PDB file of all heavy atoms in Angstrom:
ATOM      1  N   ARG A 327    -198.174  35.519 -62.018  1.00 68.00           N
ATOM      2  CA  ARG A 327    -196.853  34.813 -62.297  1.00 68.00           C
ATOM      3  C   ARG A 327    -197.061  33.296 -62.143  1.00 68.00           C
ATOM      4  O   ARG A 327    -196.500  32.608 -62.831  1.00 68.00           O
ATOM      5  CB  ARG A 327    -195.762  35.245 -61.243  1.00 68.00           C
ATOM      6  CG  ARG A 327    -195.610  36.736 -61.350  1.00 68.00           C
ATOM      7  CD  ARG A 327    -194.138  37.048 -60.843  1.00 68.00           C
ATOM      8  NE  ARG A 327    -193.322  37.146 -61.996  1.00 68.00           N
ATOM      9  CZ  ARG A 327    -192.065  36.916 -62.042  1.00 68.00           C
ATOM     10  NH1 ARG A 327    -191.435  36.486 -61.000  1.00 68.00           N
ATOM     11  NH2 ARG A 327    -191.277  36.973 -63.007  1.00 68.00           N
ATOM     12  N   VAL A 328    -197.819  32.858 -61.209  1.00 72.00           N
ATOM     13  CA  VAL A 328    -197.994  31.427 -61.082  1.00 72.00           C
ATOM     14  C   VAL A 328    -198.664  30.820 -62.278  1.00 72.00           C
ATOM     15  O   VAL A 328    -198.230  29.874 -62.845  1.00 72.00           O
ATOM     16  CB  VAL A 328    -198.871  31.214 -59.792  1.00 72.00           C
ATOM     17  CG1 VAL A 328    -198.999  29.660 -59.628  1.00 72.00           C
ATOM     18  CG2 VAL A 328    -198.238  31.914 -58.615  1.00 72.00           C
ATOM     19  N   VAL A 329    -199.850  31.430 -62.592  1.00 77.00           N
ATOM     20  CA  VAL A 329    -200.601  30.931 -63.820  1.00 77.00           C
ATOM     21  C   VAL A 329    -199.659  30.972 -65.069  1.00 77.00           C
ATOM     22  O   VAL A 329    -199.621  30.227 -65.847  1.00 77.00           O
ATOM     23  CB  VAL A 329    -201.828  31.786 -64.093  1.00 77.00           C
ATOM     24  CG1 VAL A 329    -202.628  31.274 -65.182  1.00 77.00           C
ATOM     25  CG2 VAL A 329    -202.724  31.806 -62.847  1.00 77.00           C
ATOM     26  N   ASP A 330    -198.850  32.008 -65.034  1.00 75.00           N
ATOM     27  CA  ASP A 330    -197.889  32.209 -66.261  1.00 75.00           C
ATOM     28  C   ASP A 330    -197.063  31.101 -66.472  1.00 75.00           C
ATOM     29  O   ASP A 330    -196.962  30.569 -67.577  1.00 75.00           O
ATOM     30  CB  ASP A 330    -197.110  33.490 -65.862  1.00 75.00           C
ATOM     31  CG  ASP A 330    -196.217  33.900 -67.043  1.00 75.00           C
ATOM     32  OD1 ASP A 330    -196.699  33.603 -68.221  1.00 75.00           O
ATOM     33  OD2 ASP A 330    -195.276  34.549 -66.938  1.00 75.00           O
ATOM     34  N   ASP A 331    -196.410  30.520 -65.391  1.00 71.00           N
ATOM     35  CA  ASP A 331    -195.592  29.372 -65.573  1.00 71.00           C
ATOM     36  C   ASP A 331    -196.447  28.150 -65.932  1.00 71.00           C
ATOM     37  O   ASP A 331    -196.002  27.423 -66.839  1.00 71.00           O
ATOM     38  CB  ASP A 331    -194.825  29.008 -64.250  1.00 71.00           C
ATOM     39  CG  ASP A 331    -193.599  29.976 -64.182  1.00 71.00           C
ATOM     40  OD1 ASP A 331    -193.053  30.372 -65.137  1.00 71.00           O
ATOM     41  OD2 ASP A 331    -192.980  30.008 -63.045  1.00 71.00           O
ATOM     42  N   ILE A 332    -197.527  27.927 -65.378  1.00 78.00           N
ATOM     43  CA  ILE A 332    -198.353  26.897 -65.704  1.00 78.00           C
ATOM     44  C   ILE A 332    -198.843  26.876 -67.130  1.00 78.00           C
ATOM     45  O   ILE A 332    -198.876  25.838 -67.884  1.00 78.00           O
ATOM     46  CB  ILE A 332    -199.610  26.836 -64.785  1.00 78.00           C
ATOM     47  CG1 ILE A 332    -199.203  26.538 -63.320  1.00 78.00           C
ATOM     48  CG2 ILE A 332    -200.573  25.655 -65.224  1.00 78.00           C
ATOM     49  CD1 ILE A 332    -200.300  26.580 -62.327  1.00 78.00           C
ATOM     50  N   LEU A 333    -199.143  28.076 -67.642  1.00 81.00           N
ATOM     51  CA  LEU A 333    -199.665  28.128 -68.992  1.00 81.00           C
ATOM     52  C   LEU A 333    -198.464  28.222 -70.113  1.00 81.00           C
ATOM     53  O   LEU A 333    -198.583  27.670 -71.188  1.00 81.00           O
ATOM     54  CB  LEU A 333    -200.506  29.393 -69.249  1.00 81.00           C
ATOM     55  CG  LEU A 333    -201.853  29.261 -68.529  1.00 81.00           C
ATOM     56  CD1 LEU A 333    -202.741  30.572 -68.692  1.00 81.00           C
ATOM     57  CD2 LEU A 333    -202.697  28.126 -69.150  1.00 81.00           C
ATOM     58  N   MET A 334    -197.476  28.955 -69.729  1.00 76.00           N
ATOM     59  CA  MET A 334    -196.483  29.193 -70.806  1.00 76.00           C
ATOM     60  C   MET A 334    -195.485  28.107 -71.016  1.00 76.00           C
ATOM     61  O   MET A 334    -194.925  27.875 -72.071  1.00 76.00           O
ATOM     62  CB  MET A 334    -195.752  30.580 -70.673  1.00 76.00           C
ATOM     63  CG  MET A 334    -196.634  31.671 -70.728  1.00 76.00           C
ATOM     64  SD  MET A 334    -197.849  31.766 -72.097  1.00 76.00           S
ATOM     65  CE  MET A 334    -196.689  32.239 -73.407  1.00 76.00           C
ATOM     66  N   ARG A 335    -195.031  27.386 -69.890  1.00 72.00           N
ATOM     67  CA  ARG A 335    -193.987  26.366 -70.134  1.00 72.00           C
ATOM     68  C   ARG A 335    -194.369  25.356 -71.136  1.00 72.00           C
ATOM     69  O   ARG A 335    -193.559  24.939 -71.941  1.00 72.00           O
ATOM     70  CB  ARG A 335    -193.681  25.700 -68.753  1.00 72.00           C
ATOM     71  CG  ARG A 335    -192.765  26.453 -67.692  1.00 72.00           C
ATOM     72  CD  ARG A 335    -191.715  27.295 -68.358  1.00 72.00           C
ATOM     73  NE  ARG A 335    -192.137  28.709 -68.125  1.00 72.00           N
ATOM     74  CZ  ARG A 335    -191.659  29.731 -68.904  1.00 72.00           C
ATOM     75  NH1 ARG A 335    -190.756  29.538 -69.843  1.00 72.00           N
ATOM     76  NH2 ARG A 335    -192.069  30.845 -68.636  1.00 72.00           N
ATOM     77  N   PRO A 336    -195.663  24.815 -71.043  1.00 76.00           N
ATOM     78  CA  PRO A 336    -195.958  23.818 -72.018  1.00 76.00           C
ATOM     79  C   PRO A 336    -195.866  24.343 -73.452  1.00 76.00           C
ATOM     80  O   PRO A 336    -195.651  23.619 -74.392  1.00 76.00           O
ATOM     81  CB  PRO A 336    -197.437  23.449 -71.711  1.00 76.00           C
ATOM     82  CG  PRO A 336    -197.602  23.888 -70.314  1.00 76.00           C
ATOM     83  CD  PRO A 336    -196.705  25.060 -70.054  1.00 76.00           C
ATOM     84  N   LEU A 337    -196.166  25.639 -73.595  1.00 80.00           N
ATOM     85  CA  LEU A 337    -195.987  26.090 -74.941  1.00 80.00           C
ATOM     86  C   LEU A 337    -194.618  26.193 -75.485  1.00 80.00           C
ATOM     87  O   LEU A 337    -194.384  25.894 -76.649  1.00 80.00           O
ATOM     88  CB  LEU A 337    -196.728  27.558 -74.987  1.00 80.00           C
ATOM     89  CG  LEU A 337    -198.044  27.714 -74.727  1.00 80.00           C
ATOM     90  CD1 LEU A 337    -198.679  29.041 -75.181  1.00 80.00           C
ATOM     91  CD2 LEU A 337    -198.967  26.499 -75.477  1.00 80.00           C
ATOM     92  N   ASP A 338    -193.735  26.586 -74.549  1.00 72.00           N
ATOM     93  CA  ASP A 338    -192.273  26.503 -74.960  1.00 72.00           C
ATOM     94  C   ASP A 338    -191.956  25.123 -75.461  1.00 72.00           C
ATOM     95  O   ASP A 338    -191.229  24.953 -76.479  1.00 72.00           O
ATOM     96  CB  ASP A 338    -191.381  26.784 -73.641  1.00 72.00           C
ATOM     97  CG  ASP A 338    -191.353  28.140 -73.282  1.00 72.00           C
ATOM     98  OD1 ASP A 338    -192.020  28.968 -74.060  1.00 72.00           O
ATOM     99  OD2 ASP A 338    -190.805  28.518 -72.242  1.00 72.00           O
ATOM    100  N   LEU A 339    -192.539  24.031 -74.872  1.00 69.00           N
ATOM    101  CA  LEU A 339    -192.370  22.691 -75.273  1.00 69.00           C
ATOM    102  C   LEU A 339    -192.853  22.542 -76.624  1.00 69.00           C
ATOM    103  O   LEU A 339    -192.276  21.958 -77.440  1.00 69.00           O
ATOM    104  CB  LEU A 339    -193.264  21.926 -74.333  1.00 69.00           C
ATOM    105  CG  LEU A 339    -192.498  20.923 -73.546  1.00 69.00           C
ATOM    106  CD1 LEU A 339    -193.350  20.500 -72.361  1.00 69.00           C
ATOM    107  CD2 LEU A 339    -192.122  19.763 -74.467  1.00 69.00           C
ATOM    108  N   LEU A 340    -194.020  22.999 -76.882  1.00 75.00           N
ATOM    109  CA  LEU A 340    -194.671  22.892 -78.218  1.00 75.00           C
ATOM    110  C   LEU A 340    -193.780  23.531 -79.252  1.00 75.00           C
ATOM    111  O   LEU A 340    -193.658  23.072 -80.346  1.00 75.00           O
ATOM    112  CB  LEU A 340    -196.048  23.398 -78.209  1.00 75.00           C
ATOM    113  CG  LEU A 340    -197.109  22.862 -79.139  1.00 75.00           C
ATOM    114  CD1 LEU A 340    -197.248  21.373 -78.961  1.00 75.00           C
ATOM    115  CD2 LEU A 340    -198.432  23.558 -78.847  1.00 75.00           C
ATOM    116  N   LEU A 341    -193.356  24.666 -78.918  1.00 72.00           N
ATOM    117  CA  LEU A 341    -192.442  25.425 -79.800  1.00 72.00           C
ATOM    118  C   LEU A 341    -191.140  24.676 -80.094  1.00 72.00           C
ATOM    119  O   LEU A 341    -190.515  24.902 -81.106  1.00 72.00           O
ATOM    120  CB  LEU A 341    -192.177  26.826 -79.347  1.00 72.00           C
ATOM    121  CG  LEU A 341    -193.397  27.740 -79.340  1.00 72.00           C
ATOM    122  CD1 LEU A 341    -193.080  28.965 -78.633  1.00 72.00           C
ATOM    123  CD2 LEU A 341    -193.686  28.110 -80.809  1.00 72.00           C
ATOM    124  N   ALA A 342    -190.744  23.863 -79.092  1.00 64.00           N
ATOM    125  CA  ALA A 342    -189.487  23.091 -79.189  1.00 64.00           C
ATOM    126  C   ALA A 342    -189.591  21.962 -80.221  1.00 64.00           C
ATOM    127  O   ALA A 342    -188.612  21.410 -80.700  1.00 64.00           O
ATOM    128  CB  ALA A 342    -188.967  22.652 -77.936  1.00 64.00           C
TER     129      ALA A 342
END
Side-chain angles (χ1 to χ4, degrees):
Chain A
R327 304 205 93 209
V328 184
V329 184
D330 190 21
D331 274 343
I332 296 173
L333 287 179
M334 297 313 286
R335 284 324 110 201
L337 292 197
D338 286 354
L339 241 163
L340 204 54
L341 287 171

